[in-house]
Amino acid sequence: MPQHIAIIMDGNGRWAKRRFMPRVAGHKRGVDMVKEIIRACDARKIGFLTLFAFSSENWRRPKDEVSLLMELFCFVLEHEIDQLHTRNVRLRVVGDIGAFDEKLRLLIARAENLTRHNSGMTVSIAVNYGGRWDILQAMTRFMREHPERAGSEIGEADLAPYLSLHYAPEPDLFIRTGGEQRISNFMLWQLAYTELYFTGTLWPDFDAGALDEAIDSFRQRERRFGRTSEQISGGKS
Ligand code: IPE
Ligand code: IPE
Ligand code: MG
């Protein structure tokens, strides 16, 4: 089983459009699927689930859609967090949240604090997140805290604790719904050796059965990390 699944939840707008509904109806239905997929991952003992909810590029969308997404995000943090807490889920929000208004920032802080010590699965929501931003903020913080290292070579292990998902193992399985086959500036550093799975299913239709299909596909892959197939099956290092 994958330990960590990362998902680009795409296709809400098209789902709504096909039903002659406003795009926001797709986002609302998308929230229902978030709840279903969290529950399904929990039941399957997947320790880490990371969901891309809003990219640093999504600010380019029409103002109305952006503010509706922010409202929806506030609503979910306000009304779903107690349930998640009861189920022992630890919630983390990753991304440049300094750009959000105070209400949202407080709700994020409250949700993270409330669930901080939970020992169940960790759900990370990426908002105003970009993979390049993540690498750059890690570099910046590392250099600020280690001025003595200026000019010397920096290794992967130096940077790792500063990346925003430092508490999670790298994803084993990446899923993108909605048919597009691109990374869209999601976890660029952490996806280096992740198995990629793309499906045409739109996010509002992505249910537990669809998740199982993705996991089945993952389980048929051979993860070689640069080695040969013979090394893997023969158990030689
Ligand atoms: C993904 O669905 C949700 C967000 C980016 C917030 P989209 O809104 O991108 O849906 P499509 O791609 O237009 O169908
Ligand atoms: C990617 O979806 C980001 C999220 C799902 C939050 P988009 O629908 O914005 O991606 P692009 O821009 O079409 O690649
Ligand atoms: Mg999209």
Side-chain angles (χ1 to χ4, degrees), residues 9-12 14 23 61 176 180 182:
M9 311 181 287
D10 198 14
N12 294 351
R14 278 163 287 165
R23 292 179 58 85
R61 292 194 177 195
R176 182 171 186 145
E180 245 64 73
R182 54 179 175 248

Side-chain angles (χ1 to χ4, degrees), residues 5-12 14 50 52 55 57-58 61 173-186 191 194-203 206 210 214 221:
I5 299 182
I7 307 182
I8 297 187
M9 311 181 287
D10 198 14
N12 294 351
R14 278 163 287 165
T50 302
F52 204 5
S55 74
E57 290 72 29
N58 286 146
R61 292 194 177 195
L173 171 61
F174 160 96
I175 299 171
R176 182 171 186 145
T177 63
E180 245 64 73
Q181 303 198 0
R182 54 179 175 248
I183 304 287
S184 299
N185 198 17
F186 197 27
L191 292 175
T194 302
E195 296 297 329
L196 307 180
Y197 178 85
F198 297 95
T199 171
T201 304
L202 303 174
W203 176 252
F206 192 84
R221 317 259 181 114

Side-chain angles (χ1 to χ4, degrees), residues 15 20 29 35 87 103 107 128 158 213:
W15 183 89
F20 306 101
R29 166 81 187 197
K35 292 193 260 177
R87 286 169 24 222
K103 182 185 176 201
L107 284 168
N128 195 22
D158 294 319
E213 279 177 38

Side-chain angles (χ1 to χ4, degrees), residues 27-38:
H27 296 316
K28 285 187 178 151
R29 166 81 187 197
V31 171
D32 295 336
M33 301 321 283
V34 167
K35 292 193 260 177
E36 171 161 350
I37 293 302
I38 292 175

